[in-house]
Amino acid sequence: SQESIVEQVKSEEGKKKIAIITSGGDAPGMNAAVRAVTRAGIFYGCKVYACYEGYTGLVKGGDMLKELQWQDVRGLLSIGGTIIGTARSKEFRERWGRLQACYNMVSNGIDALVVCGGDGSLTGADLFRNEWPELIKELLGEGKITKEQYETHRNLTIVGLVGSIDNDMCGTDSTIGAYSSLERIIELVDYIDATAASHSRAFVVEVMGRHCGWLGLMSGIATGADYIFIPERPPSETNWKDDLKKVCLRHREKGRRKTTVIVAEGAIDDQLNPITSEEVKDVLVEIGLDTRITRLGHVQRGGAPCAFDRFLATVQGVDAVRAVLESTPAIPSPVISILENKIVRQPLVESVAQTKTVSDAIEAKDFDKALKLRDQEFATSYESFLSVSKYDDGSYLVPESSRLNIAIIHVGAPTSALNPATRVATLNSLAKGHRVFAIRNGFAGLIRHGAVRELNWIDVEDWHNTGGSEIGTNRSLPSDDMGTVAYYFQQYKFDGLIIIGGFEAFTALYQLDAARAQYPIFNIPMCCLPATVSNNVPGTEYSLGSDTCLNTLSGYCDAVKQSASASRRRTFVVEVQGGYSGYLASYAGLITGALAVYTPENPINLQTVQEDIELLTRTYEEDDGKNRSGKIFIHNEKASKVYTTDLIAAIIGEAGKGRFESRTAVPGHVQQGKSPSSIDRVNACRLAIKCCNFIEDANFQVKHNANLSADERHLRFFYDDGVKTSAVSGKSSVIDDNTSVVIGIQGSEVTFTPVKQLWEKETHHKWRKGKNVHWEQLNIVSDLLSGRLSIRTT
Ligand code: ATP
């Protein structure tokens, strides 16, 4: 909370001199981490040093260790790579190098290191901490440091931030840079898709990942690839070629005009022989496909970080400083991780050790173990990939009596991941023999025209990268004519419904659930999959489409800031969507480095505006005419009836008195985004499959337990407690035995919450959002890093 932060700032206890290092391969987001560590450190009263060129700077000392000021890290959020440099330091691997590093730290008074790098860099950091007592004793013995220096620096504090595009660290869902890299890959494969489909060609795309298949797997899911090769799941030496041929030919026979095969750099077969892109190409040529190889190479590392990496690096950077302040010699060095939506600290040694066991397991040909060690979601994602790409061969069909009619409907404003989610739900269901029906143009389409269309494999196979809604969406609700909706449910004998959309989708589910007593036909499992840029559906902290929107917004704000910076004296007030939910504004403020964020949750008054103008004036003065980065304010469209975007811009302009001026910028519907982001595509896949599992398991339970005929099943619905464990896999949990649920991500878990509970207890109906303002922390971090919190607390 803001209060506890103020307490910590005031206390003199634990103030440190912290050095920040970026090490190993560069990764987008490292700069954002440098910015966050620097500013949070200064905010908490510490001194922060940049250690240039990775561990080399620590070994060489001198000018390579330099104190950073608040202004030094201005404008860093949007810049790829690392401005403090990175390197692979041979000297630090040697004991003499680490002894020299120890000396340089002690002589500069530095007693804490925040290391942002891959598992190698963190291994080095851990080794350094373990050796520290010996090293410092040796320096004292040699007379290089004084007794007093020895006494004050007896303990070294290390905190790890995982910066690596490979996403190869165990114990965290994501490393800083991984999703930016994935974003680059999918963008490029989308370009390749267009030419592949035009010429009916096959493309073998080689992606990075010598020891870890995360990029290969996730890009396979996000690009709708036919086949992938990753080190954790090597195919059989003897039959991988035949299998590849079978899958690709089958997809061609179904009508696909292109073939995409993703090969991770470290791809191997089950006898550990490398599988090269050339070999894969030769196999595809054998089945008559005009095949090309594209090696994406270093473009995968470069460019501006995506919205998520800016967020991740920023919140983790701030937490790293807090971890430094809270550390004691007894606490093992932590690495800052993320599990689903939650930032957590894990013991660094254990994460590094577990990461190493993955390569050991691969070397020992224990591939099941390797897959499991990566993390639960990796194995689930691999299974998800197979269920949409490979299980369409007929061998995964469920018995005739267990086949279902699954309906999918889009409700509300369009967002970017509606199509990928529908594609995955359809392909996964068809592979098992279910039938999938798209209700077209929302409930209005059903009520007015009975608009239902059965979806086939070829209808949806290329929806992985399309934005908008192929089946049509609008805000109409079933309550417009519940009787007609029930009529069509009866006619098509739906066994389950997936409603994809925002607050209206949630409302629609509640209405159907409430109408069950009157229309027993609605006694089927129904699941709302939240998809809205506003992220205002109760029961989840993430909605499909919101990440695409944030990527669009960060690009938009970067352009606006550039304009502001070029004109030297201009400030922009950017108005973002979100209705009465301040999520988008808060997140956008954090990832664009806005000076102030205005949301409906935090009322604006004259005092706040005045303080923000004071901050703006001070920032211009500190810039001293250099004005290296533009300044923006973020304003949610419904933040205040009085303090509108125009009014705030006018007040800023008036207060500028010629020193600065202001403009407004309103991105409007551009925020819905175009092609879905990698995060939205990957989450569309895993959440859509979990929805299907939920519907299947609930239905099968009905059939097996209640022994009902198909027709009876449409009239009555029994729900067995046992379903709770079988309905979902992985980290998910059904939290109540209810069959109208909202799937969501809450904290570190995927959850299914009954719509009734959410509607009655957890919804702010007037403001069309959940009561849980899970984004409030983002504002605190934003204010801390913009200097706004300092203005308020002094
Ligand atoms: P990436 O995931 O991008 O490869 P990484 O951090 O794993 O990043 P490495 O080259 O393995 O990259 O390590 C970076 C640096 O960390 C090394 O150059 C070296 O300075 C230091 N380092 C790595 N392993 C050790 C070790 N066992 N002992 C001491 N220092 C090490």
Side-chain angles (χ1 to χ4, degrees):
S1 70
Q2 206 161 305
E3 290 73 31
S4 64
I5 290 177
V6 175
E7 282 299 299
Q8 203 161 8
V9 172
K10 284 186 183 152
S11 125
E12 270 312 304
E13 217 174 288
K15 298 286 183 261
K16 303 243 179 191
K17 279 193 179 179
I18 306 169
I20 166 85
I21 295 187
T22 50
S23 171
D26 67 301
M30 280 182 162
N31 277 327
V34 171
R35 171 182 179 268
V37 170
T38 305
R39 291 204 169 171
I42 294 172
F43 177 83
Y44 284 112
C46 303
K47 282 184 187 293
V48 181
Y49 289 74
C51 175
Y52 291 90
E53 315 299 339
Y55 288 117
T56 307
L58 217 51
V59 176
K60 292 200 172 151
D63 269 358
M64 295 184 88
L65 275 172
K66 226 190 262 167
E67 190 179 344
L68 290 172
Q69 306 299 336
W70 187 273
Q71 297 91 314
D72 294 332
V73 293
R74 191 157 280 159
L76 282 196
L77 267 169
S78 57
I79 302 173
T82 161
I83 59 146
I84 62 172
T86 181
R88 303 198 193 262
S89 159
K90 280 196 194 109
E91 303 90 333
F92 195 74
R93 286 183 182 271
E94 309 290 330
R95 192 177 181 283
W96 68 262
R98 293 192 291 276
L99 184 68
Q100 190 60 31
C102 176
Y103 171 73
N104 286 325
M105 285 184 67
V106 175
S107 51
N108 280 287
I110 298 169
D111 43 14
L113 274 184
V114 175
V115 180
C116 181
D119 61 330
S121 305
L122 300 184
T123 306
D126 183 52
L127 180 69
F128 192 38
R129 189 193 190 194
N130 289 339
E131 270 182 3
W132 184 267
E134 270 176 43
L135 296 174
I136 193 165
K137 214 173 195 176
E138 195 169 322
L139 291 176
L140 177 70
E142 289 172 2
K144 289 192 174 155
I145 58 170
T146 63
K147 181 94 178 123
E148 196 192 343
Q149 281 176 317
Y150 173 76
E151 288 302 338
T152 45
H153 292 91
R154 284 175 82 128
N155 296 302
L156 170 67
T157 304
I158 298 268
V159 176
L161 290 173
V162 200
S164 164
I165 63 159
D166 292 335
N167 206 8
D168 54 356
M169 182 65 104
C170 294
T172 186
D173 287 345
S174 180
T175 57
I176 296 167
Y179 274 106
S180 299
S181 181
L182 185 59
E183 202 63 31
R184 224 99 305 145
I185 294 172
I186 67 160
E187 189 184 347
L188 295 164
V189 177
D190 283 353
Y191 298 155
I192 291 168
D193 257 10
T195 175
S198 305
H199 292 269
S200 192
R201 270 187 192 141
F203 272 87
V204 179
V205 182
E206 190 176 298
V207 302
M208 282 187 172
R210 231 168 284 155
H211 307 289
C212 177
W214 187 86
L215 282 173
L217 170 58
M218 295 303 160
S219 58
I221 289 174
T223 63
D226 296 77
Y227 211 96
I228 60 170
F229 291 94
I230 57 171
E232 294 84 351
R233 238 335 163 221
S236 142
E237 181 193 26
T238 48
N239 78 358
W240 70 260
K241 293 181 181 171
D242 286 344
D243 194 49
L244 174 65
K245 285 180 191 168
K246 250 193 255 162
V247 172
C248 295
L249 276 176
R250 191 169 66 240
H251 292 171
R252 286 286 178 152
E253 277 156 16
K254 286 181 174 178
R256 180 173 274 182
R257 277 185 59 79
K258 61 177 169 53
T259 301
T260 309
V261 178
I262 306 276
V263 182
E265 268 176 328
I268 44 174
D269 66 25
D270 63 355
Q271 296 311 308
L272 310 183
N273 305 304
I275 294 179
T276 64
S277 299
E278 280 76 14
E279 279 176 283
V280 174
K281 176 187 167 184
D282 291 345
V283 175
L284 296 177
V285 169
E286 274 177 39
I287 53 172
L289 296 176
D290 178 8
T291 309
R292 310 290 153 101
I293 296 175
T294 300
R295 283 192 185 85
L296 297 181
H298 280 77
V299 292
Q300 293 166 84
R301 277 198 185 284
C306 66
F308 179 77
D309 279 331
R310 296 181 194 200
F311 152 81
L312 189 65
T314 301
V315 294
Q316 291 193 332
V318 172
D319 195 52
V321 172
R322 290 191 185 139
V324 165
L325 296 176
E326 288 161 22
S327 84
T328 66
I331 300 177
S333 301
V335 61
I336 315 293
S337 308
I338 183 166
L339 296 179
E340 294 294 357
N341 240 5
K342 201 166 179 215
I343 302 296
V344 293
R345 295 177 197 168
Q346 313 266 21
L348 190 150
V349 187
E350 281 169 33
S351 296
V352 169
Q354 196 181 342
T355 304
K356 294 213 181 313
T357 55
V358 179
S359 14
D360 295 344
I362 292 176
E363 246 161 64
K365 299 186 193 166
D366 191 347
F367 306 116
D368 286 341
K369 187 172 170 195
L371 199 67
K372 261 194 216 132
L373 283 168
R374 274 275 174 247
D375 75 44
Q376 180 60 43
E377 243 359 282
F378 194 97
T380 312
S381 297
Y382 184 70
E383 199 51 33
S384 301
F385 172 74
L386 295 181
S387 52
V388 293
S389 65
K390 200 171 169 198
Y391 294 168
D392 62 325
D393 64 353
S395 52
Y396 292 85
L397 296 171
V398 295
E400 197 90 37
S401 61
S402 297
R403 295 190 190 165
L404 307 171
N405 292 341
I406 298 176
I408 301 177
I409 188 168
H410 297 173
V411 178
T415 55
S416 271
L418 296 172
N419 294 326
T422 306
R423 169 184 180 267
V424 168
T426 305
L427 295 181
N428 172 66
S429 302
L430 293 179
K432 293 176 179 168
H434 306 315
R435 295 172 71 190
V436 180
F437 296 86
I439 298 175
R440 293 164 61 211
N441 305 322
F443 283 100
L446 186 69
I447 292 165
R448 288 194 212 131
H449 311 291
V452 175
R453 173 181 150 209
E454 185 163 2
L455 294 174
N456 297 313
W457 192 91
I458 194 64
D459 295 329
V460 301
E461 61 89 22
D462 64 349
W463 290 4
H464 58 275
N465 61 4
T466 56
S469 165
E470 295 282 346
I471 67 173
T473 184
N474 55 52
R475 294 177 191 271
S476 57
L477 292 168
S479 57
D480 293 350
D481 186 348
M482 198 60 88
T484 304
V485 173
Y487 167 79
Y488 284 113
F489 272 51
Q490 175 82 52
Q491 182 176 329
Y492 286 96
K493 295 193 182 335
F494 292 147
D495 298 294
L497 172 70
I498 301 175
I499 310 177
I500 314 177
F503 199 84
E504 278 85 10
F506 168 66
T507 309
L509 176 63
Y510 174 73
Q511 291 181 353
L512 292 171
D513 182 68
R516 278 177 166 175
Q518 198 180 350
Y519 300 101
I521 195 72
F522 297 137
N523 281 323
I524 55 173
M526 296 185 283
C527 192
C528 169
L529 174 47
T532 159
V533 299
S534 310
N535 198 15
N536 58 346
V537 177
T540 188
E541 293 168 13
Y542 161 82
S543 301
L544 294 178
S546 58
D547 181 69
T548 306
C549 172
L550 287 161
N551 275 340
T552 308
L553 266 179
S554 63
Y556 179 91
C557 291
D558 287 352
V560 164
K561 280 181 97 169
Q562 183 173 293
S563 162
S565 151
S567 60
R568 289 293 186 259
R569 295 181 307 128
R570 191 169 291 167
T571 296
F572 279 87
V573 182
V574 181
E575 181 178 292
V576 307
Q577 292 183 335
Y580 292 103
S581 156
Y583 171 81
L584 260 194
S586 303
Y587 202 123
L590 182 88
I591 62 172
T592 57
L595 242 79
V597 179
Y598 300 116
T599 63
E601 292 84 18
N602 296 307
I604 314 171
N605 55 35
L606 262 183
Q607 193 189 338
T608 38
V609 176
Q610 207 164 349
E611 282 169 359
D612 293 338
I613 290 175
E614 202 181 307
L615 175 64
L616 181 66
T617 310
R618 197 176 73 183
T619 313
Y620 273 112
E621 281 165 10
E622 282 168 2
D623 273 357
D624 196 18
K626 291 187 214 108
N627 216 331
R628 278 162 297 186
S629 100
K631 292 154 195 41
I632 58 168
F633 287 59
I634 301 275
H635 187 265
N636 160 287
E637 58 186 357
K638 294 212 189 292
S640 164
K641 279 198 179 133
V642 177
Y643 294 94
T644 59
T645 307
D646 286 337
L647 182 62
I648 290 184
I651 296 175
I652 292 172
E654 167 77 10
K657 295 194 184 103
R659 286 165 301 169
F660 51 85
E661 56 185 51
S662 67
R663 291 279 191 283
T664 58
V666 185
H669 283 77
V670 166
Q671 290 166 83
Q672 281 171 4
K674 202 166 167 278
S675 189
S677 71
S678 58
I679 290 187
D680 281 334
R681 295 188 201 187
V682 165
N683 280 331
C685 176
R686 66 190 192 118
L687 296 176
I689 288 185
K690 285 181 198 288
C691 290
C692 293
N693 290 348
F694 178 82
I695 288 173
E696 272 181 347
D697 288 359
N699 268 286
F700 295 161
Q701 205 71 34
V702 169
K703 284 184 183 173
H704 300 153
N705 286 358
N707 235 353
L708 297 176
S709 71
D711 278 344
E712 282 172 315
R713 194 155 32 85
H714 288 282
L715 297 175
R716 296 170 63 206
F717 184 78
F718 293 100
Y719 190 80
D720 189 295
D721 239 10
V723 176
K724 279 203 285 187
T725 46
S726 62
V728 286
S729 57
K731 289 180 200 164
S732 319
S733 60
V734 177
I735 60 173
D736 193 357
D737 49 353
N738 194 308
T739 51
S740 305
V741 295
V742 175
I743 186 171
I745 295 175
Q746 301 189 72
S748 59
E749 299 236 310
V750 176
T751 54
F752 291 80
T753 318
V755 70
K756 197 157 177 267
Q757 174 191 323
L758 291 171
W759 186 268
E760 289 171 0
K761 300 201 180 100
E762 295 170 43
T763 303
H764 209 311
H765 293 279
K766 189 172 169 204
W767 307 117
R768 292 164 50 83
K769 64 181 179 187
K771 287 183 180 163
N772 172 20
V773 182
H774 52 85
W775 54 91
E776 193 46 38
Q777 282 296 320
L778 302 181
N779 290 319
I780 295 179
V781 174
S782 237
D783 288 352
L784 190 155
L785 298 179
S786 70
R788 206 180 181 210
L789 206 51
S790 306
I791 285 259
R792 297 227 171 120
T793 50
T794 50

